[in-house]
Amino acid sequence: EVQLVETGGGLVQPGNSLKLSCATSGFTFSTAWMNWIRQTPGKRLEWLAQIEDKSNNYFISYLESVKGRFTISRDDSKSSVYLQMNNLKEEDTAIYYCTRDYGYNSLFDYWGQGVMVTVSS
Amino acid sequence: DIQMTQSPSSMSASLGDRVTITCRASQDIGNYLSWFQQKPGKSPRRMIYGATNLAAGVPSRFSGSRSGSDYSLTISSLESEDMAIYYCLQSIQYPYTFGAGTKLELK
């Protein structure tokens, strides 16, 4: 059974940092391209970042507005993907989801349960 | 960035109705269009991929279609379990972008 479980959310003050983790199981993580997507309080969905697999040199793409503040990374030995978020702003308040692109016709077919990040003083 | 204009933003319909939700892409996205369903407190669920392909486990009353730059999700006969927010997504170009969502409610 495919599972993705996000952890690491919480309440943080503006300007601070937070690191999200997404532990996965049930598929060959090392060949998956992994993504982070967030959902704002207004229910808008926003794609944030993708990290490809080793065969693609772990190529990374970011949403322009988070580039330089957010860093996606992965540890294939732990079947996990991470999102380091620095200099957080109130507008980063959202539910953060990890999801996968597992090759042909499998874009975003499985999602984690999401983790809440609240940025507030 | 590619803009996905989704309509309507909300709608109410009766059980058994035929319902159609539309997304228009600001530039050519081919068939790189997916539809997602989200129920309260749950993660999005993929319903349609490649504009017209039904995802695994999705009831056959759901279908996707394309006419030029307009993409549609149709529910042929609405059931109570279909009440949710529906989103489209383009995945031809980074950043991937979602439509703003359509909230489907029971009349």
Side-chain angles (χ1 to χ4, degrees), chain B residues 40-95:
Chain B
K42 300 294 187 182
S43 304
R45 173 194 180 190
R46 191 179 71 157
M47 306 298 281
I48 299 287
Y49 65 93
T52 61
N53 301 290
L54 204 63
V58 174
S60 59
R61 62 182 180 275
F62 288 87
S63 64
S65 63
R66 173 190 178 187
S67 176
S69 60
D70 290 341
Y71 299 80
S72 296
L73 173 71
T74 298
I75 307 171
S76 60
S77 181
L78 193 66
E79 297 192 8
S80 57
E81 65 184 35
D82 302 334
M83 301 309 142
I85 301 176
Y86 292 86
Y87 298 91
C88 62
L89 166 75
Q90 70 78 18
S91 58
I92 196 171
Q93 178 187 109
Y94 298 115

Side-chain angles (χ1 to χ4, degrees), chain A residues 55-111:
Chain A
S55 70
N56 289 285
N57 296 315
Y58 301 118
F59 184 79
I60 290 172
S61 302
Y62 288 107
L63 180 68
E64 193 65 31
S65 62
V66 304
K67 195 179 294 186
R69 293 193 304 125
F70 290 10
T71 302
I72 189 172
S73 62
R74 64 190 293 161
D75 184 338
D76 290 348
S77 69
K78 295 182 179 179
S79 298
S80 294
V81 62
Y82 308 96
L83 187 68
Q84 175 69 46
M85 303 185 293
N86 297 331
N87 189 22
L88 282 161
K89 306 175 182 182
E90 290 189 353
E91 52 264 39
D92 295 318
T93 294
I95 298 173
Y96 286 73
Y97 296 99
C98 70
T99 181
R100 72 173 194 173
D101 181 355
Y102 198 51
Y104 185 69
N105 290 335
S106 71
L107 178 70
F108 302 171
D109 59 348
Y110 285 90
W111 296 57

Side-chain angles (χ1 to χ4, degrees), chain A residues 29-50:
Chain A
F29 178 83
S30 61
T31 64
W33 296 10
M34 298 303 296
N35 290 256
W36 286 96
I37 290 168
R38 69 185 177 187
Q39 186 165 40
T40 67
K43 300 297 185 185
R44 179 171 56 93
L45 287 169
E46 189 170 48
W47 173 88
L48 298 174
Q50 175 176 272

